[in-house]
Amino acid sequence: MDKRIKYSLAQKQIAVKSVLSGHDTFSSAARKIGGTDTTIHRWVNLYKLHGQAGLQQRPGNYTGTFKFQVLQYMFEKGLSLMQTAMIFGITQDNIVGRWLKKYEREGAAGLLKETRGRKSSTMTKKSKKSKKPVTDPTQAKLAALEAELLYLRAENAYLKKLDALIQEEKAAQDQNKRQEPSEN
């Protein structure tokens, strides 16, 4: 179940203005709208930095070069994820955090790759052969064996990948154990 709540621009404006005027604290304004202190704090900071435009929803499509520029700016200025997100008008600081993790794993090239949507897989693609009713028992048996062969190949590929991941994890754990200093 999705617990995220979408707030209207009017709700955001009322909460921000009540906090800035001193009528409400972050906590009391959050209770009034059913949100969190962090949400109200983010809205107030966005309002202070960008005015009314800071409270409006923005599309979440960012180019790879934009992501890289955001991270470069964050590194140069020594800013936190939240501060960086506020300056660039990015709605959630965890978005910048995901970019940072991807940058650390794959470098700048990783930011340029588009990774939205479901990954295509060769195992999920259906064959383009037309299905004709099979009347010959030997052809039916052959078709069943071919289907079983396809299934077993997919299962084999899955198990090989799983084994490789387990081996990789064990190697990483062994590496960590070797690096830990002894307490003698």
Side-chain angles (χ1 to χ4, degrees), residues 129-136 139-140 143:
K129 294 180 183 176
S130 62
K131 303 260 180 177
K132 296 178 186 174
V134 181
T135 55
D136 187 17
Q139 285 185 343

Side-chain angles (χ1 to χ4, degrees), residues 18-19 23-33 37 40:
S18 69
V19 169
H23 292 321
D24 283 322
T25 63
F26 292 111
S27 299
S28 63
R31 270 191 308 260
K32 285 181 181 178
I33 64 164
D37 299 10
I40 304 298

Side-chain angles (χ1 to χ4, degrees), residues 100-174:
L100 179 60
K101 285 181 183 176
K102 189 166 208 163
Y103 177 77
E104 289 170 347
R105 270 193 327 263
E106 303 173 30
L111 296 174
L112 298 174
K113 288 190 294 188
E114 184 60 41
T115 57
R116 284 187 171 214
R118 185 180 291 188
K119 294 179 183 176
S120 63
S121 173
T122 57
M123 289 190 285
T124 60
K125 291 181 182 174
K126 296 181 180 179
S127 67
K128 294 183 181 180
K129 294 180 183 176
S130 62
K131 303 260 180 177
K132 296 178 186 174
V134 181
T135 55
D136 187 17
T138 57
Q139 285 185 343
K141 190 172 184 176
L142 182 63
L145 288 172
E146 285 177 346
E148 185 180 3
L149 179 63
L150 273 173
Y151 175 80
L152 291 172
R153 283 182 178 165
E155 184 179 32
N156 193 20
Y158 173 79
L159 292 173
K160 283 182 180 179
K161 181 68 174 175
L162 182 63
D163 186 50
L165 290 172
I166 291 171
Q167 296 300 324
E168 194 175 289
E169 193 174 282
K170 284 181 183 177
Q173 288 175 350
D174 290 345

Side-chain angles (χ1 to χ4, degrees), residues 64 67-69 71-72 74-75 96-112:
K67 295 173 188 179
F68 184 67
Q69 289 170 348
L71 291 178
Q72 272 187 322
M74 184 177 83
F75 296 145
V96 180
R98 282 189 299 224
W99 297 347
L100 179 60
K101 285 181 183 176
K102 189 166 208 163
Y103 177 77
E104 289 170 347
R105 270 193 327 263
E106 303 173 30
L111 296 174
L112 298 174

Side-chain angles (χ1 to χ4, degrees), residues 3-23:
K3 294 183 180 180
R4 291 178 290 180
I5 301 171
K6 295 225 177 194
Y7 298 98
S8 69
L9 181 60
Q11 288 175 307
K12 293 176 184 180
Q13 290 171 336
I14 292 168
V16 167
K17 288 180 181 175
S18 69
V19 169
L20 291 176
S21 66
H23 292 321

Side-chain angles (χ1 to χ4, degrees), residues 69-83:
Q69 289 170 348
V70 168
L71 291 178
Q72 272 187 322
Y73 186 84
M74 184 177 83
F75 296 145
E76 289 171 5
K77 303 292 182 182
L79 300 174
S80 69
L81 296 175
M82 183 179 269
Q83 291 169 329

Side-chain angles (χ1 to χ4, degrees), residues 37-53:
D37 299 10
T38 308
T39 302
I40 304 298
H41 195 71
R42 182 179 295 116
W43 292 347
V44 169
N45 285 336
L46 282 169
Y47 184 80
K48 286 179 180 177
L49 281 171
H50 303 287
Q52 194 75 20

